[in-house]
Amino acid sequence: MPPGATYVQVEAKGQAVILGDIADGLTRGVEATMSTVSGAFFEPVVRLGVTGLARSGKTVFITSLVANLISRGRMPALRAAAEGRIHTAWLQPQPDDTVPRFDYEAHLAAMTGPDPHWPESTNGISELRLSFRVRPSGLLSGFQGPRTLHLDIVDYPGEWLLDLGLLDKTFEEWSRDTLARNDPRPEAAAFKEALAAANPDAKLDEVAAKSLAEAFAASLQALRDAGYSDCTPGRFLLPGDLKGSPALTFAPLPPQDWPRGSLGREFARRYEAYKRQVVKPFFRDHFARIDRQVVLVDVLGAIHSGPKAVEDMRLALADILGAFRPGRNAFLSKLLLGKRVEKILFAATKADHLHHAQHAQLTAIAAALLADAKTRADFAGAETQAMSIAALRATTEDRVEQGGRTLDLVRGRLLDGGKSVAMYPGRLPEDPGKLLIPSRQGADRWLEQDYSIMTFAPQPVTLKPGDGPPHIRLDRAAEFLIGDRLR
Ligand SMILES: Nc1nc2c(ncn2[C@@H]2O[C@H](COP(=O)(O)OP(=O)(O)OP(=O)(O)O)[C@@H](O)[C@H]2O)c(=O)[nH]1
Ligand SMILES: [Mg+2]
């Protein structure tokens, strides 16, 4: 297939006809039909959405997944790879001209180069296409030649999914919820003061509007830094090219009837504009086309931050996962036209902070969070699974005897200073309820013990030809997400 050609290729009597940019202007419905009809005639495309809250590990996950799908030496649990049926996997120009390309090469060079370091934080949507030449399995394998599968990977911030909740809420409802939730939190104190000093009834003054909006955005940032997940509107944290625009210049206000031309009336209008011009286009252009989804969760990081952060994460995840329930709101139902995400993987990331003896406990906690979100968000048919993974393993395991006890720990190089240290993060309980119940009850700290976490730098690696970067269970994650499409 020539570089630059889009993904519709029709084979007619052995001749390949490339229908250039046929995808232009197609509606979701037509595309959905194409991907099901595709089988014999079209090259099938799977769109994998990768999401998670900030710093959950998305960039590292995509980079390592792609590297390990291209060089499959460390992917034994990916059946098509183990059976030797993947002839090649290569990167292609991505199909969407207006979406930035995921900077795979730069991220991989950062993680596996001579001075390994973590990639920079990202704050928008990006995309990458990986294509496979695969020999089919089963009875027909002897008759059919290799076929092509395209995997489009879409990286986007989980905060944008939280915004789905705004579509159901009026400005008054959102204001009331936000102000009530943040009232007791010290991180929002400065905004509370600014709000008390503001006069929403007064005629709109852009300077006053801007300073109130900035105080609110600063409080969201502080809440986020304190480990809270439920911080809407998502673009206030990740504004991208919308920074400073009126659609991002508002703040929650105590509900009342504001006079025409007042700050209050204008904020309510801008909130509606944000929903219409920012939230809806995201769901229409990106979200509605996703077939498979991985939700990355830094469970260990939240446990380390304490019960309140765990509870907040639980609520945010239920909200995020709620976006995958088509009946969730009228706009989304219309957009998805009955199409649903087929598989959702819920992955606890950075599992290399724990000795593998504790991975089962970590998975159980992730599964409990998922189960909870599931009862709230009934995914209507999506297959779901929880897993503990490390996209890039930065530690090695060790075992030491201390005071007659055996401790299973990990060793790594500290990000800060590069010193080599051993870490024992604490023993995770067998029963996830031991963490989730106190979180729900609003406990201030864990009773039985503290959980510590260190930030390690990536280990210098020398990759053998055919091997991708070291990981934990990335092959299982890939098998769950796309294994069936490689058969
Ligand atoms: N030890 C370890 N740390 C990881 C792993 N994946 C991510 N991290 C850590 O988590 C940080 C965030 O990872 P990213 O992949 O940049 O996370 P992100 O979700 O893309 O973050 P944003 O772009 O800021 O939203 C990294 O800088 C690492 O410190 C992993 O597999 N192992
Ligand atoms: Mg990132």
Side-chain angles (χ1 to χ4, degrees):
M1 191 159 172
T6 36
Y7 50 81
V8 184
Q9 177 171 344
V10 184
E11 298 219 0
K13 295 192 180 135
Q15 272 183 312
V17 188
I18 309 285
L19 301 183
D21 280 324
I22 199 169
D24 276 355
L26 286 180
T27 64
R28 161 79 239 157
V30 179
E31 251 177 88
T33 324
M34 288 204 310
S35 60
T36 39
V37 177
S38 60
F41 302 111
F42 299 112
E43 293 185 340
V45 179
V46 178
R47 276 177 82 85
L48 169 66
V50 178
T51 194
L53 298 166
R55 311 310 288 153
S56 57
K58 300 176 291 292
T59 302
V60 174
F61 175 84
I62 297 176
T63 309
S64 184
L65 178 69
V66 169
N68 277 292
L69 287 172
I70 293 178
S71 307
R72 295 172 296 281
R74 291 188 214 257
M75 299 293 269
L78 180 64
R79 273 176 52 192
E83 292 166 2
R85 291 189 293 99
I86 303 179
H87 289 207
T88 46
W90 72 102
L91 288 172
Q92 292 246 37
Q94 63 180 67
D96 294 305
D97 288 335
T98 53
V99 178
R101 180 175 182 276
F102 180 83
D103 198 356
Y104 167 73
E105 292 79 7
H107 298 320
L108 186 66
M111 285 157 47
T112 59
D115 168 29
H117 54 278
W118 299 107
E120 296 287 309
S121 187
T122 36
N123 51 16
I125 189 156
S126 66
E127 200 179 79
L128 195 68
R129 166 168 288 192
L130 183 68
S131 299
F132 298 89
R133 265 325 253 173
V134 192
R135 183 164 49 80
S137 62
L139 281 178
L140 290 176
S141 61
F143 302 104
Q144 284 180 346
R147 43 185 192 81
T148 303
L149 174 79
H150 303 297
L151 177 67
D152 288 351
I153 303 179
V154 188
D155 174 19
Y156 64 96
E159 285 81 0
W160 297 5
L161 284 185
L162 288 177
D163 278 351
L164 184 71
L166 303 186
L167 295 181
D168 299 325
K169 288 183 189 166
T170 62
F171 179 64
E172 287 74 18
E173 287 164 338
W174 170 75
S175 288
R176 197 177 312 116
D177 291 355
T178 306
L179 295 175
R181 191 170 53 234
N182 292 339
D183 192 59
R185 299 176 175 170
E187 295 80 8
F191 170 64
K192 211 166 140 182
E193 244 171 67
L195 188 58
N199 180 5
D201 274 342
K203 193 168 165 321
L204 171 74
D205 162 28
E206 203 50 52
V207 177
K210 192 159 166 263
S211 93
L212 199 56
E214 278 171 1
F216 176 59
S219 76
L220 282 184
Q221 191 64 56
L223 288 160
R224 149 58 40 81
D225 294 346
Y228 292 105
S229 308
D230 194 353
C231 306
T232 56
R235 295 291 156 95
F236 277 51
L237 291 164
L238 299 169
D241 51 7
L242 290 172
K243 198 170 168 55
S245 66
L248 298 198
T249 311
F250 64 90
L253 299 172
Q256 54 170 298
D257 213 0
W258 300 288
R260 286 180 73 175
S262 64
L263 178 105
R265 194 64 89 83
E266 178 63 10
F267 274 15
R269 191 195 68 76
R270 289 180 185 183
Y271 170 84
E272 293 302 328
Y274 177 83
K275 281 163 51 175
R276 197 173 54 246
Q277 287 165 17
V278 179
V279 183
K280 285 190 175 178
F282 164 70
F283 281 94
R284 191 184 55 227
D285 299 343
H286 306 294
F287 180 78
R289 295 159 63 206
I290 286 168
D291 306 302
R292 311 275 160 114
Q293 177 66 46
V294 49
V295 181
L296 301 175
V297 203
D298 185 2
V299 177
L300 284 173
I303 294 175
H304 167 62
S305 297
K308 291 212 153 64
V310 169
E311 174 62 2
D312 197 62
M313 186 175 79
R314 182 182 75 82
L315 294 173
L317 286 172
D319 245 20
I320 287 184
L321 290 166
F324 297 102
R325 183 185 55 175
R328 159 90 182 244
N329 74 39
F331 166 75
L332 202 59
S333 304
K334 216 158 78 196
L335 192 65
L336 296 174
L337 294 171
K339 178 203 184 263
R340 41 196 54 137
V341 174
E342 300 152 335
K343 284 166 175 258
I344 305 175
L345 175 66
F346 203 66
T349 52
K350 314 180 194 179
D352 57 328
H353 284 105
L354 283 181
H355 189 278
H356 77 268
Q358 290 214 62
H359 286 182
Q361 284 92 307
L362 181 62
T363 308
I365 296 167
L369 286 165
L370 171 66
D372 191 83
K374 256 169 116 168
T375 42
R376 283 176 43 141
D378 173 21
F379 306 127
E383 194 185 331
T384 56
Q385 193 171 336
M387 215 178 265
S388 301
I389 63 163
L392 185 72
R393 182 177 200 148
T395 62
T396 48
E397 297 190 337
D398 202 357
R399 172 169 277 191
V400 296
E401 304 291 331
Q402 204 181 53
R405 276 206 313 160
T406 310
L407 286 185
D408 287 328
L409 39 78
V410 294
R411 289 185 183 279
R413 227 164 34 93
L414 277 185
L415 189 61
D416 206 3
K419 208 168 115 204
S420 181
V421 292
M423 176 180 83
Y424 180 71
R427 182 176 293 279
L428 293 177
E430 306 276 337
D431 170 11
K434 290 235 163 76
L435 294 180
L436 299 186
I437 292 170
S439 305
R440 243 175 235 231
Q441 291 169 340
D444 283 321
R445 48 183 294 270
W446 305 118
L447 282 184
E448 291 179 12
Q449 63 173 304
D450 280 332
Y451 296 94
S452 62
I453 243 183
M454 293 167 173
T455 310
F456 296 117
Q459 306 251 19
V461 281
T462 320
L463 299 181
K464 285 202 312 258
D467 272 1
H471 64 81
I472 299 172
R473 282 186 212 97
L474 210 50
D475 50 344
R476 279 173 207 266
E479 175 64 23
F480 173 77
L481 289 167
I482 56 165
D484 59 327
R485 302 299 299 269
L486 295 169
R487 302 250 148 84

